[in-house]
Amino acid sequence: MARIGPMNVSAGNDTYTFVAYDLAGPIYNAPGVYIFSKGTDNAQGANDHQFLYIGQTEGFRTRLNPGHEKWEEALKLGMNAIAVYVPLPSESRFDIENRLITHLKPPLNDQN
């Protein structure tokens, strides 16, 4: 597990500070929201991210692995990072997931 750093993700007026990791993901098994992304270097020496898939889980360690149903598709699209967000007690991971999917429209989330 290599921590890459913080990543602010916005959906309208709401901004969430995710923590980006390499594909090993975080070592803790907290509930939260996750993003499969493709990070590329930008001119400022940081990373720009293309969000490929957004989901929520009861436990990062048990969900974020090659057994995930979107893992192979995300790899084919260049996934090289997993970002995670642990909601505050007053936040719902389901609401955050839906807000982010609606606003960002990642290609591997089913869009109706």
Side-chain angles (χ1 to χ4, degrees):
M1 170 275 324
R3 185 177 187 273
I4 296 169
M7 176 173 66
N8 289 328
V9 180
S10 296
N13 294 328
D14 300 313
T15 299
Y16 307 96
T17 301
F18 280 71
V19 178
Y21 292 89
D22 64 15
L23 295 185
I27 60 171
Y28 51 93
N29 201 31
V33 180
Y34 61 92
I35 300 173
F36 291 167
S37 72
K38 176 183 178 181
T40 54
D41 294 335
N42 64 27
Q44 292 77 34
N47 284 316
D48 290 326
H49 285 268
Q50 176 190 4
F51 304 126
L52 305 173
Y53 181 79
I54 298 170
Q56 63 77 31
T57 183
E58 288 186 20
F60 295 129
R61 290 303 308 151
T62 54
R63 181 78 170 122
L64 304 179
N65 59 60
H68 188 287
E69 69 274 8
K70 298 291 184 174
W71 190 271
E72 288 300 319
E73 288 177 87
L75 284 176
K76 288 177 186 174
L77 292 176
M79 175 178 68
N80 58 8
I82 298 172
V84 299
Y85 177 76
V86 177
L88 301 171
S90 62
E91 297 177 315
S92 162
R93 69 180 192 264
F94 301 100
D95 290 343
I96 295 168
E97 174 196 33
N98 287 331
R99 216 172 288 128
L100 291 174
I101 290 170
T102 299
H103 187 77
L104 300 170
K105 299 178 179 22
L108 296 179
N109 286 92
D110 295 332
Q111 306 294 323
N112 294 330

